Amino acid sequence: GFFEAAGVSPIGGRLPSAEEFSQGAQVAVVSDIVARQYWPGQPAIGQVLVWDKRPFTVVGVVTDARFVALDREPQGAIYIPLRANAEPYVSTMVVAFRPGSPLRLGDVVTQLRQMCPRCSIEGANTMTQAMGRTIRIRQFRAWLFGAFAVSAVVIVGTGILGLVAMTT
């Protein structure tokens, strides 16, 4: 369900099956950017991608997603089953919670550690927190600009009020 949770949809080929995920099959799904960079003018489906000195067969191409920041163009992504890694490392994990779900982010991290004890987890954030951090400086600048604008309106209003009082 990663692709559905991330809002990434296939535009060519197929997504790996549940069996391929559980067995750690050496299949890969690439984003559209990666497909165009690695195989310009050729279909990516069926191509072999070497990752960590092991060959993975590309079975699907998906739309590009913004996993790094909301204000930056999407970067290419290569998706391989977690179990296909000899030394699993989770750099990005997307979890979709159903409305009213009793699960919390900590519960998901605990379950992931139980499912994959060899996995290295750097940290966990909700998508709102992760993407919110990427635009925090812009939000601060907008707030600061707004504060200066309000201050200018107050100063101008005070000046006009003083001018009207003097002429009256």
Side-chain angles (χ1 to χ4, degrees), residues 2 7 10 18-19 38 54 68-69 71 95 102 113 123 142 145 157 165:
F2 171 82
E19 185 176 289
Y38 280 77
R54 291 176 310 165
V68 178
D71 59 348
V95 179
R113 284 196 173 122
F145 184 73

mmCIF file of all heavy atoms in Angstrom, residues 2 7 10 18-19 38 54 68-69 71 95 102 113 123 142 145 157 165:
data_model
loop_
_atom_site.group_PDB
_atom_site.id
_atom_site.type_symbol
_atom_site.label_atom_id
_atom_site.label_comp_id
_atom_site.label_asym_id
_atom_site.label_seq_id
_atom_site.Cartn_x
_atom_site.Cartn_y
_atom_site.Cartn_z
ATOM 1 N N PHE A 2 2.155 1.164 -0.143
ATOM 2 C CA PHE A 2 3.004 2.355 -0.116
ATOM 3 C C PHE A 2 2.611 3.342 -1.203
ATOM 4 O O PHE A 2 2.476 4.535 -0.961
ATOM 5 C CB PHE A 2 4.480 1.969 -0.278
ATOM 6 C CG PHE A 2 5.387 3.158 -0.474
ATOM 7 C CD1 PHE A 2 5.827 3.886 0.607
ATOM 8 C CD2 PHE A 2 5.775 3.558 -1.742
ATOM 9 C CE1 PHE A 2 6.647 4.989 0.432
ATOM 10 C CE2 PHE A 2 6.597 4.651 -1.931
ATOM 11 C CZ PHE A 2 7.031 5.368 -0.834
ATOM 12 N N GLY A 7 0.289 8.517 -2.706
ATOM 13 C CA GLY A 7 -0.391 9.207 -3.796
ATOM 14 C C GLY A 7 0.348 9.080 -5.112
ATOM 15 O O GLY A 7 0.249 9.935 -5.981
ATOM 16 N N PRO A 10 0.807 4.270 -10.942
ATOM 17 C CA PRO A 10 1.588 3.740 -12.056
ATOM 18 C C PRO A 10 1.194 4.386 -13.377
ATOM 19 O O PRO A 10 0.025 4.645 -13.631
ATOM 20 C CB PRO A 10 1.255 2.251 -12.051
ATOM 21 C CG PRO A 10 0.013 2.104 -11.270
ATOM 22 C CD PRO A 10 -0.096 3.282 -10.374
ATOM 23 N N ALA A 18 2.232 -8.591 -3.829
ATOM 24 C CA ALA A 18 2.483 -8.813 -2.399
ATOM 25 C C ALA A 18 3.491 -9.940 -2.213
ATOM 26 O O ALA A 18 4.341 -9.884 -1.316
ATOM 27 C CB ALA A 18 1.178 -9.137 -1.689
ATOM 28 N N GLU A 19 3.432 -10.945 -3.058
ATOM 29 C CA GLU A 19 4.378 -12.058 -2.985
ATOM 30 C C GLU A 19 5.797 -11.587 -3.287
ATOM 31 O O GLU A 19 6.748 -11.975 -2.607
ATOM 32 C CB GLU A 19 3.961 -13.143 -3.976
ATOM 33 C CG GLU A 19 4.808 -14.394 -3.894
ATOM 34 C CD GLU A 19 4.295 -15.470 -4.830
ATOM 35 O OE1 GLU A 19 3.227 -16.036 -4.555
ATOM 36 O OE2 GLU A 19 4.988 -15.706 -5.845
ATOM 37 N N TYR A 38 17.691 7.537 -17.077
ATOM 38 C CA TYR A 38 18.468 6.325 -17.310
ATOM 39 C C TYR A 38 18.268 5.746 -18.710
ATOM 40 O O TYR A 38 19.195 5.187 -19.275
ATOM 41 C CB TYR A 38 18.117 5.248 -16.272
ATOM 42 C CG TYR A 38 18.800 5.445 -14.941
ATOM 43 C CD1 TYR A 38 18.342 6.395 -14.043
ATOM 44 C CD2 TYR A 38 19.891 4.676 -14.576
ATOM 45 C CE1 TYR A 38 18.956 6.579 -12.817
ATOM 46 C CE2 TYR A 38 20.523 4.850 -13.351
ATOM 47 C CZ TYR A 38 20.039 5.807 -12.480
ATOM 48 O OH TYR A 38 20.653 5.984 -11.274
ATOM 49 N N ARG A 54 23.699 -5.367 -7.365
ATOM 50 C CA ARG A 54 22.746 -6.438 -7.671
ATOM 51 C C ARG A 54 21.781 -5.953 -8.737
ATOM 52 O O ARG A 54 21.343 -4.803 -8.711
ATOM 53 C CB ARG A 54 21.986 -6.850 -6.422
ATOM 54 C CG ARG A 54 22.891 -7.568 -5.431
ATOM 55 C CD ARG A 54 22.189 -7.882 -4.174
ATOM 56 N NE ARG A 54 21.543 -6.646 -3.732
ATOM 57 C CZ ARG A 54 20.605 -6.586 -2.827
ATOM 58 N NH1 ARG A 54 20.184 -7.654 -2.257
ATOM 59 N NH2 ARG A 54 20.076 -5.443 -2.472
ATOM 60 N N VAL A 68 10.811 15.341 -0.766
ATOM 61 C CA VAL A 68 11.857 16.137 -0.127
ATOM 62 C C VAL A 68 11.292 17.438 0.432
ATOM 63 O O VAL A 68 11.500 17.765 1.583
ATOM 64 C CB VAL A 68 13.009 16.417 -1.120
ATOM 65 C CG1 VAL A 68 14.072 17.289 -0.485
ATOM 66 C CG2 VAL A 68 13.608 15.116 -1.604
ATOM 67 N N ALA A 69 10.580 18.191 -0.391
ATOM 68 C CA ALA A 69 10.047 19.479 0.037
ATOM 69 C C ALA A 69 8.910 19.899 -0.887
ATOM 70 O O ALA A 69 8.900 19.543 -2.064
ATOM 71 C CB ALA A 69 11.143 20.543 0.026
ATOM 72 N N ASP A 71 8.318 22.939 -1.821
ATOM 73 C CA ASP A 71 8.710 24.040 -2.693
ATOM 74 C C ASP A 71 9.845 23.677 -3.649
ATOM 75 O O ASP A 71 10.428 24.541 -4.265
ATOM 76 C CB ASP A 71 9.081 25.269 -1.864
ATOM 77 C CG ASP A 71 10.215 25.010 -0.896
ATOM 78 O OD1 ASP A 71 10.576 23.830 -0.700
ATOM 79 O OD2 ASP A 71 10.745 25.980 -0.328
ATOM 80 N N VAL A 95 2.979 6.391 5.704
ATOM 81 C CA VAL A 95 1.899 5.629 6.321
ATOM 82 C C VAL A 95 0.625 6.449 6.218
ATOM 83 O O VAL A 95 0.609 7.621 6.571
ATOM 84 C CB VAL A 95 2.210 5.339 7.810
ATOM 85 C CG1 VAL A 95 1.081 4.578 8.462
ATOM 86 C CG2 VAL A 95 3.519 4.587 7.950
ATOM 87 N N PRO A 102 -7.126 4.223 15.614
ATOM 88 C CA PRO A 102 -6.483 4.374 16.929
ATOM 89 C C PRO A 102 -4.951 4.303 16.857
ATOM 90 O O PRO A 102 -4.284 4.590 17.831
ATOM 91 C CB PRO A 102 -7.040 3.182 17.718
ATOM 92 C CG PRO A 102 -7.328 2.149 16.680
ATOM 93 C CD PRO A 102 -7.762 2.926 15.456
ATOM 94 N N ARG A 113 9.832 -2.029 13.556
ATOM 95 C CA ARG A 113 11.011 -2.613 14.205
ATOM 96 C C ARG A 113 10.816 -4.095 14.486
ATOM 97 O O ARG A 113 11.757 -4.876 14.430
ATOM 98 C CB ARG A 113 11.318 -1.862 15.496
ATOM 99 C CG ARG A 113 11.962 -0.525 15.235
ATOM 100 C CD ARG A 113 12.619 0.042 16.470
ATOM 101 N NE ARG A 113 13.352 1.233 16.108
ATOM 102 C CZ ARG A 113 13.149 2.428 16.638
ATOM 103 N NH1 ARG A 113 12.238 2.583 17.567
ATOM 104 N NH2 ARG A 113 13.859 3.457 16.254
ATOM 105 N N GLY A 123 14.328 8.395 12.051
ATOM 106 C CA GLY A 123 13.326 9.181 12.747
ATOM 107 C C GLY A 123 11.975 8.957 12.115
ATOM 108 O O GLY A 123 11.870 8.318 11.068
ATOM 109 N N ALA A 142 6.566 35.311 5.418
ATOM 110 C CA ALA A 142 5.237 35.847 5.116
ATOM 111 C C ALA A 142 4.638 36.518 6.354
ATOM 112 O O ALA A 142 4.039 37.596 6.255
ATOM 113 C CB ALA A 142 4.313 34.735 4.619
ATOM 114 N N PHE A 145 6.539 39.841 6.854
ATOM 115 C CA PHE A 145 6.099 40.812 5.861
ATOM 116 C C PHE A 145 4.715 41.353 6.222
ATOM 117 O O PHE A 145 4.458 42.557 6.131
ATOM 118 C CB PHE A 145 6.079 40.167 4.473
ATOM 119 C CG PHE A 145 5.731 41.105 3.373
ATOM 120 C CD1 PHE A 145 6.625 42.072 2.943
ATOM 121 C CD2 PHE A 145 4.485 41.028 2.757
ATOM 122 C CE1 PHE A 145 6.295 42.950 1.921
ATOM 123 C CE2 PHE A 145 4.146 41.901 1.743
ATOM 124 C CZ PHE A 145 5.053 42.863 1.323
ATOM 125 N N GLY A 157 -2.213 55.515 9.089
ATOM 126 C CA GLY A 157 -3.499 55.900 9.692
ATOM 127 C C GLY A 157 -3.330 56.946 10.774
ATOM 128 O O GLY A 157 -4.115 57.897 10.871
ATOM 129 N N ALA A 165 -6.876 66.162 12.281
ATOM 130 C CA ALA A 165 -7.030 66.904 13.534
ATOM 131 C C ALA A 165 -6.439 68.312 13.424
ATOM 132 O O ALA A 165 -7.016 69.282 13.925
ATOM 133 C CB ALA A 165 -6.368 66.142 14.678
#
